[in-house]
PDB file of all heavy atoms in Angstrom:
ATOM      1  N   VAL T 376      11.562   9.108  63.460  1.00 92.00           N
ATOM      2  CA  VAL T 376      10.482   8.311  62.889  1.00 92.00           C
ATOM      3  C   VAL T 376       9.415   7.994  63.919  1.00 92.00           C
ATOM      4  O   VAL T 376       8.209   8.069  63.622  1.00 92.00           O
ATOM      5  CB  VAL T 376      11.037   6.990  62.289  1.00 92.00           C
ATOM      6  CG1 VAL T 376       9.941   6.038  61.899  1.00 92.00           C
ATOM      7  CG2 VAL T 376      11.905   7.296  61.080  1.00 92.00           C
ATOM      8  N   ASP T 377       9.805   7.627  65.138  1.00 92.00           N
ATOM      9  CA  ASP T 377       8.827   7.282  66.148  1.00 92.00           C
ATOM     10  C   ASP T 377       7.933   8.469  66.484  1.00 92.00           C
ATOM     11  O   ASP T 377       6.732   8.316  66.764  1.00 92.00           O
ATOM     12  CB  ASP T 377       9.509   6.786  67.427  1.00 92.00           C
ATOM     13  CG  ASP T 377      10.071   5.381  67.256  1.00 92.00           C
ATOM     14  OD1 ASP T 377       9.617   4.706  66.321  1.00 92.00           O
ATOM     15  OD2 ASP T 377      10.944   4.983  68.022  1.00 92.00           O
ATOM     16  N   ASN T 380       5.531   8.848  63.560  1.00 94.00           N
ATOM     17  CA  ASN T 380       4.542   7.790  63.618  1.00 94.00           C
ATOM     18  C   ASN T 380       3.520   7.990  64.744  1.00 94.00           C
ATOM     19  O   ASN T 380       2.345   7.613  64.605  1.00 94.00           O
ATOM     20  CB  ASN T 380       5.228   6.439  63.776  1.00 94.00           C
ATOM     21  CG  ASN T 380       5.867   5.958  62.470  1.00 94.00           C
ATOM     22  OD1 ASN T 380       5.585   6.519  61.400  1.00 94.00           O
ATOM     23  ND2 ASN T 380       6.671   4.942  62.567  1.00 94.00           N
ATOM     24  N   MET T 400       2.871   5.570  57.628  1.00 95.00           N
ATOM     25  CA  MET T 400       3.395   4.817  58.792  1.00 95.00           C
ATOM     26  C   MET T 400       4.075   3.517  58.381  1.00 95.00           C
ATOM     27  O   MET T 400       5.162   3.160  58.869  1.00 95.00           O
ATOM     28  CB  MET T 400       2.252   4.495  59.758  1.00 95.00           C
ATOM     29  CG  MET T 400       1.869   5.604  60.716  1.00 95.00           C
ATOM     30  SD  MET T 400       0.771   5.026  62.012  1.00 95.00           S
ATOM     31  CE  MET T 400       1.899   4.137  63.092  1.00 95.00           C
ATOM     32  N   ILE T 401       3.446   2.833  57.457  1.00 96.00           N
ATOM     33  CA  ILE T 401       4.006   1.551  56.966  1.00 96.00           C
ATOM     34  C   ILE T 401       5.388   1.813  56.327  1.00 96.00           C
ATOM     35  O   ILE T 401       6.349   1.062  56.570  1.00 96.00           O
ATOM     36  CB  ILE T 401       3.061   0.871  55.956  1.00 96.00           C
ATOM     37  CG1 ILE T 401       1.794   0.414  56.700  1.00 96.00           C
ATOM     38  CG2 ILE T 401       3.716  -0.287  55.255  1.00 96.00           C
ATOM     39  CD1 ILE T 401       0.670  -0.033  55.775  1.00 96.00           C
ATOM     40  N   GLN T 402       5.460   2.848  55.516  1.00 94.00           N
ATOM     41  CA  GLN T 402       6.724   3.128  54.845  1.00 94.00           C
ATOM     42  C   GLN T 402       7.800   3.588  55.839  1.00 94.00           C
ATOM     43  O   GLN T 402       8.989   3.288  55.621  1.00 94.00           O
ATOM     44  CB  GLN T 402       6.489   4.224  53.775  1.00 94.00           C
ATOM     45  CG  GLN T 402       5.700   3.708  52.579  1.00 94.00           C
ATOM     46  CD  GLN T 402       5.203   4.844  51.684  1.00 94.00           C
ATOM     47  OE1 GLN T 402       5.218   5.994  52.066  1.00 94.00           O
ATOM     48  NE2 GLN T 402       4.780   4.457  50.486  1.00 94.00           N
ATOM     49  N   ASN T 403       7.383   4.233  56.907  1.00 94.00           N
ATOM     50  CA  ASN T 403       8.361   4.620  57.937  1.00 94.00           C
ATOM     51  C   ASN T 403       8.881   3.384  58.688  1.00 94.00           C
ATOM     52  O   ASN T 403      10.075   3.348  59.068  1.00 94.00           O
ATOM     53  CB  ASN T 403       7.710   5.593  58.916  1.00 94.00           C
ATOM     54  CG  ASN T 403       7.453   6.961  58.332  1.00 94.00           C
ATOM     55  OD1 ASN T 403       8.005   7.293  57.267  1.00 94.00           O
ATOM     56  ND2 ASN T 403       6.634   7.767  59.000  1.00 94.00           N
ATOM     57  N   ILE T 404       8.018   2.439  58.931  1.00 93.00           N
ATOM     58  CA  ILE T 404       8.406   1.241  59.685  1.00 93.00           C
ATOM     59  C   ILE T 404       9.160   0.240  58.841  1.00 93.00           C
ATOM     60  O   ILE T 404      10.018  -0.512  59.359  1.00 93.00           O
ATOM     61  CB  ILE T 404       7.139   0.579  60.292  1.00 93.00           C
ATOM     62  CG1 ILE T 404       6.475   1.525  61.314  1.00 93.00           C
ATOM     63  CG2 ILE T 404       7.471  -0.738  60.987  1.00 93.00           C
ATOM     64  CD1 ILE T 404       5.140   1.068  61.809  1.00 93.00           C
ATOM     65  N   TRP T 405       8.905   0.194  57.546  1.00 94.00           N
ATOM     66  CA  TRP T 405       9.457  -0.832  56.694  1.00 94.00           C
ATOM     67  C   TRP T 405      10.985  -1.010  56.812  1.00 94.00           C
ATOM     68  O   TRP T 405      11.436  -2.147  56.973  1.00 94.00           O
ATOM     69  CB  TRP T 405       9.072  -0.575  55.215  1.00 94.00           C
ATOM     70  CG  TRP T 405       9.393  -1.730  54.338  1.00 94.00           C
ATOM     71  CD1 TRP T 405      10.509  -1.931  53.575  1.00 94.00           C
ATOM     72  CD2 TRP T 405       8.592  -2.902  54.128  1.00 94.00           C
ATOM     73  NE1 TRP T 405      10.467  -3.114  52.945  1.00 94.00           N
ATOM     74  CE2 TRP T 405       9.287  -3.739  53.247  1.00 94.00           C
ATOM     75  CE3 TRP T 405       7.336  -3.290  54.594  1.00 94.00           C
ATOM     76  CZ2 TRP T 405       8.802  -4.958  52.825  1.00 94.00           C
ATOM     77  CZ3 TRP T 405       6.845  -4.539  54.191  1.00 94.00           C
ATOM     78  CH2 TRP T 405       7.562  -5.347  53.294  1.00 94.00           C
ATOM     79  N   PRO T 406      11.756   0.070  56.754  1.00 93.00           N
ATOM     80  CA  PRO T 406      13.194  -0.117  56.861  1.00 93.00           C
ATOM     81  C   PRO T 406      13.636  -0.740  58.199  1.00 93.00           C
ATOM     82  O   PRO T 406      14.743  -1.276  58.294  1.00 93.00           O
ATOM     83  CB  PRO T 406      13.775   1.315  56.713  1.00 93.00           C
ATOM     84  CG  PRO T 406      12.698   2.079  56.022  1.00 93.00           C
ATOM     85  CD  PRO T 406      11.422   1.487  56.511  1.00 93.00           C
ATOM     86  N   LEU T 407      12.771  -0.618  59.204  1.00 92.00           N
ATOM     87  CA  LEU T 407      13.108  -1.148  60.525  1.00 92.00           C
ATOM     88  C   LEU T 407      12.761  -2.645  60.640  1.00 92.00           C
ATOM     89  O   LEU T 407      13.035  -3.270  61.656  1.00 92.00           O
ATOM     90  CB  LEU T 407      12.319  -0.399  61.618  1.00 92.00           C
ATOM     91  CG  LEU T 407      12.540   1.148  61.616  1.00 92.00           C
ATOM     92  CD1 LEU T 407      11.657   1.802  62.675  1.00 92.00           C
ATOM     93  CD2 LEU T 407      14.004   1.478  61.855  1.00 92.00           C
ATOM     94  N   LYS T 408      12.139  -3.187  59.577  1.00 93.00           N
ATOM     95  CA  LYS T 408      11.810  -4.621  59.500  1.00 93.00           C
ATOM     96  C   LYS T 408      10.906  -5.093  60.649  1.00 93.00           C
ATOM     97  O   LYS T 408      11.029  -6.193  61.151  1.00 93.00           O
ATOM     98  CB  LYS T 408      13.090  -5.455  59.450  1.00 93.00           C
ATOM     99  CG  LYS T 408      13.978  -5.132  58.257  1.00 93.00           C
ATOM    100  CD  LYS T 408      15.208  -6.032  58.223  1.00 93.00           C
ATOM    101  CE  LYS T 408      16.065  -5.692  57.019  1.00 93.00           C
ATOM    102  NZ  LYS T 408      17.286  -6.548  56.920  1.00 93.00           N
ATOM    103  N   ARG T 409       9.975  -4.185  61.045  1.00 94.00           N
ATOM    104  CA  ARG T 409       9.011  -4.570  62.085  1.00 94.00           C
ATOM    105  C   ARG T 409       7.795  -5.174  61.413  1.00 94.00           C
ATOM    106  O   ARG T 409       6.748  -4.533  61.279  1.00 94.00           O
ATOM    107  CB  ARG T 409       8.713  -3.345  62.951  1.00 94.00           C
ATOM    108  CG  ARG T 409       9.871  -3.000  63.857  1.00 94.00           C
ATOM    109  CD  ARG T 409      10.084  -1.592  64.259  1.00 94.00           C
ATOM    110  NE  ARG T 409       8.970  -0.788  64.634  1.00 94.00           N
ATOM    111  CZ  ARG T 409       9.093   0.490  65.060  1.00 94.00           C
ATOM    112  NH1 ARG T 409      10.295   1.038  65.189  1.00 94.00           N
ATOM    113  NH2 ARG T 409       8.054   1.217  65.387  1.00 94.00           N
ATOM    114  N   TRP T 410       7.954  -6.415  60.974  1.00 96.00           N
ATOM    115  CA  TRP T 410       6.953  -7.048  60.086  1.00 96.00           C
ATOM    116  C   TRP T 410       5.585  -7.191  60.782  1.00 96.00           C
ATOM    117  O   TRP T 410       4.544  -7.015  60.155  1.00 96.00           O
ATOM    118  CB  TRP T 410       7.445  -8.409  59.621  1.00 96.00           C
ATOM    119  CG  TRP T 410       8.835  -8.372  59.053  1.00 96.00           C
ATOM    120  CD1 TRP T 410       9.910  -9.122  59.432  1.00 96.00           C
ATOM    121  CD2 TRP T 410       9.333  -7.525  58.007  1.00 96.00           C
ATOM    122  NE1 TRP T 410      11.012  -8.833  58.699  1.00 96.00           N
ATOM    123  CE2 TRP T 410      10.682  -7.850  57.796  1.00 96.00           C
ATOM    124  CE3 TRP T 410       8.770  -6.525  57.213  1.00 96.00           C
ATOM    125  CZ2 TRP T 410      11.489  -7.200  56.854  1.00 96.00           C
ATOM    126  CZ3 TRP T 410       9.534  -5.865  56.287  1.00 96.00           C
ATOM    127  CH2 TRP T 410      10.898  -6.210  56.090  1.00 96.00           C
ATOM    128  N   ASP T 411       5.600  -7.563  62.058  1.00 96.00           N
ATOM    129  CA  ASP T 411       4.314  -7.742  62.782  1.00 96.00           C
ATOM    130  C   ASP T 411       3.540  -6.439  62.856  1.00 96.00           C
ATOM    131  O   ASP T 411       2.311  -6.434  62.718  1.00 96.00           O
ATOM    132  CB  ASP T 411       4.563  -8.301  64.185  1.00 96.00           C
ATOM    133  CG  ASP T 411       5.047  -9.761  64.139  1.00 96.00           C
ATOM    134  OD1 ASP T 411       4.612 -10.478  63.232  1.00 96.00           O
ATOM    135  OD2 ASP T 411       5.809 -10.152  65.029  1.00 96.00           O
ATOM    136  N   GLU T 412       4.236  -5.336  63.134  1.00 95.00           N
ATOM    137  CA  GLU T 412       3.540  -4.025  63.175  1.00 95.00           C
ATOM    138  C   GLU T 412       2.954  -3.673  61.827  1.00 95.00           C
ATOM    139  O   GLU T 412       1.828  -3.154  61.745  1.00 95.00           O
ATOM    140  CB  GLU T 412       4.559  -2.927  63.587  1.00 95.00           C
ATOM    141  CG  GLU T 412       4.934  -2.947  65.062  1.00 95.00           C
ATOM    142  CD  GLU T 412       5.822  -1.770  65.398  1.00 95.00           C
ATOM    143  OE1 GLU T 412       5.453  -0.621  65.018  1.00 95.00           O
ATOM    144  OE2 GLU T 412       6.893  -1.968  66.020  1.00 95.00           O
ATOM    145  N   ILE T 413       3.687  -3.977  60.781  1.00 96.00           N
ATOM    146  CA  ILE T 413       3.198  -3.672  59.425  1.00 96.00           C
ATOM    147  C   ILE T 413       1.931  -4.490  59.129  1.00 96.00           C
ATOM    148  O   ILE T 413       0.948  -3.971  58.593  1.00 96.00           O
ATOM    149  CB  ILE T 413       4.292  -3.945  58.368  1.00 96.00           C
ATOM    150  CG1 ILE T 413       5.397  -2.901  58.520  1.00 96.00           C
ATOM    151  CG2 ILE T 413       3.747  -3.920  56.968  1.00 96.00           C
ATOM    152  CD1 ILE T 413       6.679  -3.228  57.799  1.00 96.00           C
ATOM    153  N   ILE T 414       1.982  -5.758  59.502  1.00 96.00           N
ATOM    154  CA  ILE T 414       0.786  -6.622  59.264  1.00 96.00           C
ATOM    155  C   ILE T 414      -0.413  -6.119  60.030  1.00 96.00           C
ATOM    156  O   ILE T 414      -1.541  -6.043  59.507  1.00 96.00           O
ATOM    157  CB  ILE T 414       1.129  -8.063  59.651  1.00 96.00           C
ATOM    158  CG1 ILE T 414       2.144  -8.660  58.659  1.00 96.00           C
ATOM    159  CG2 ILE T 414      -0.128  -8.937  59.680  1.00 96.00           C
ATOM    160  CD1 ILE T 414       2.770  -9.973  59.108  1.00 96.00           C
ATOM    161  N   PHE T 433       1.923  -4.612  50.844  1.00 95.00           N
ATOM    162  CA  PHE T 433       2.803  -4.536  52.016  1.00 95.00           C
ATOM    163  C   PHE T 433       2.519  -5.703  52.985  1.00 95.00           C
ATOM    164  O   PHE T 433       3.443  -6.253  53.567  1.00 95.00           O
ATOM    165  CB  PHE T 433       2.615  -3.211  52.740  1.00 95.00           C
ATOM    166  CG  PHE T 433       3.330  -2.054  52.020  1.00 95.00           C
ATOM    167  CD1 PHE T 433       2.636  -0.998  51.522  1.00 95.00           C
ATOM    168  CD2 PHE T 433       4.721  -2.053  51.916  1.00 95.00           C
ATOM    169  CE1 PHE T 433       3.279   0.050  50.916  1.00 95.00           C
ATOM    170  CE2 PHE T 433       5.374  -0.992  51.289  1.00 95.00           C
ATOM    171  CZ  PHE T 433       4.678   0.048  50.778  1.00 95.00           C
ATOM    172  N   LEU T 436       4.094  -8.813  51.475  1.00 94.00           N
ATOM    173  CA  LEU T 436       5.534  -8.805  51.582  1.00 94.00           C
ATOM    174  C   LEU T 436       6.006  -9.015  53.013  1.00 94.00           C
ATOM    175  O   LEU T 436       7.017  -9.679  53.267  1.00 94.00           O
ATOM    176  CB  LEU T 436       6.084  -7.443  51.070  1.00 94.00           C
ATOM    177  CG  LEU T 436       6.141  -7.235  49.570  1.00 94.00           C
ATOM    178  CD1 LEU T 436       6.587  -5.837  49.239  1.00 94.00           C
ATOM    179  CD2 LEU T 436       7.061  -8.263  48.912  1.00 94.00           C
ATOM    180  N   ALA T 437       5.252  -8.455  53.968  1.00 96.00           N
ATOM    181  CA  ALA T 437       5.631  -8.617  55.385  1.00 96.00           C
ATOM    182  C   ALA T 437       5.503 -10.078  55.780  1.00 96.00           C
ATOM    183  O   ALA T 437       6.399 -10.641  56.470  1.00 96.00           O
ATOM    184  CB  ALA T 437       4.753  -7.751  56.269  1.00 96.00           C
ATOM    185  N   TYR T 438       4.444 -10.751  55.354  1.00 96.00           N
ATOM    186  CA  TYR T 438       4.273 -12.170  55.643  1.00 96.00           C
ATOM    187  C   TYR T 438       5.403 -12.965  54.962  1.00 96.00           C
ATOM    188  O   TYR T 438       5.939 -13.922  55.527  1.00 96.00           O
ATOM    189  CB  TYR T 438       2.927 -12.691  55.134  1.00 96.00           C
ATOM    190  CG  TYR T 438       1.795 -12.495  56.090  1.00 96.00           C
ATOM    191  CD1 TYR T 438       0.628 -11.775  55.725  1.00 96.00           C
ATOM    192  CD2 TYR T 438       1.823 -13.027  57.381  1.00 96.00           C
ATOM    193  CE1 TYR T 438      -0.436 -11.611  56.595  1.00 96.00           C
ATOM    194  CE2 TYR T 438       0.766 -12.872  58.281  1.00 96.00           C
ATOM    195  CZ  TYR T 438      -0.332 -12.155  57.861  1.00 96.00           C
ATOM    196  OH  TYR T 438      -1.400 -11.968  58.772  1.00 96.00           O
ATOM    197  N   PHE T 439       5.748 -12.561  53.721  1.00 93.00           N
ATOM    198  CA  PHE T 439       6.826 -13.273  53.012  1.00 93.00           C
ATOM    199  C   PHE T 439       8.147 -13.147  53.732  1.00 93.00           C
ATOM    200  O   PHE T 439       8.913 -14.106  53.798  1.00 93.00           O
ATOM    201  CB  PHE T 439       6.926 -12.660  51.584  1.00 93.00           C
ATOM    202  CG  PHE T 439       7.887 -13.407  50.679  1.00 93.00           C
ATOM    203  CD1 PHE T 439       7.470 -14.566  50.057  1.00 93.00           C
ATOM    204  CD2 PHE T 439       9.168 -12.956  50.477  1.00 93.00           C
ATOM    205  CE1 PHE T 439       8.351 -15.292  49.245  1.00 93.00           C
ATOM    206  CE2 PHE T 439      10.048 -13.638  49.640  1.00 93.00           C
ATOM    207  CZ  PHE T 439       9.621 -14.805  49.023  1.00 93.00           C
ATOM    208  N   GLN T 440       8.396 -11.930  54.258  1.00 94.00           N
ATOM    209  CA  GLN T 440       9.631 -11.743  55.029  1.00 94.00           C
ATOM    210  C   GLN T 440       9.693 -12.611  56.287  1.00 94.00           C
ATOM    211  O   GLN T 440      10.753 -12.981  56.756  1.00 94.00           O
ATOM    212  CB  GLN T 440       9.790 -10.258  55.393  1.00 94.00           C
ATOM    213  CG  GLN T 440      10.002  -9.324  54.206  1.00 94.00           C
ATOM    214  CD  GLN T 440      11.313  -9.563  53.476  1.00 94.00           C
ATOM    215  OE1 GLN T 440      12.292 -10.018  54.095  1.00 94.00           O
ATOM    216  NE2 GLN T 440      11.366  -9.273  52.199  1.00 94.00           N
ATOM    217  N   LYS T 441       8.507 -12.896  56.797  1.00 94.00           N
ATOM    218  CA  LYS T 441       8.431 -13.776  57.990  1.00 94.00           C
ATOM    219  C   LYS T 441       8.412 -15.258  57.602  1.00 94.00           C
ATOM    220  O   LYS T 441       8.308 -16.129  58.467  1.00 94.00           O
ATOM    221  CB  LYS T 441       7.125 -13.463  58.773  1.00 94.00           C
ATOM    222  CG  LYS T 441       7.139 -12.118  59.455  1.00 94.00           C
ATOM    223  CD  LYS T 441       5.870 -11.971  60.289  1.00 94.00           C
ATOM    224  CE  LYS T 441       5.835 -13.012  61.410  1.00 94.00           C
ATOM    225  NZ  LYS T 441       4.676 -12.920  62.262  1.00 94.00           N
TER     226      LYS T 441
END
Side-chain angles (χ1 to χ4, degrees):
V376 170
D377 286 341
N380 283 349
M400 278 192 75
I401 292 169
Q402 289 167 345
N403 289 345
I404 295 171
W405 190 266
L407 304 176
K408 299 182 179 180
R409 286 152 42 178
W410 311 125
D411 289 329
E412 286 185 48
I413 290 167
I414 291 167
F433 283 116
L436 283 176
Y438 276 123
F439 187 80
Q440 293 295 331
K441 291 185 63 180

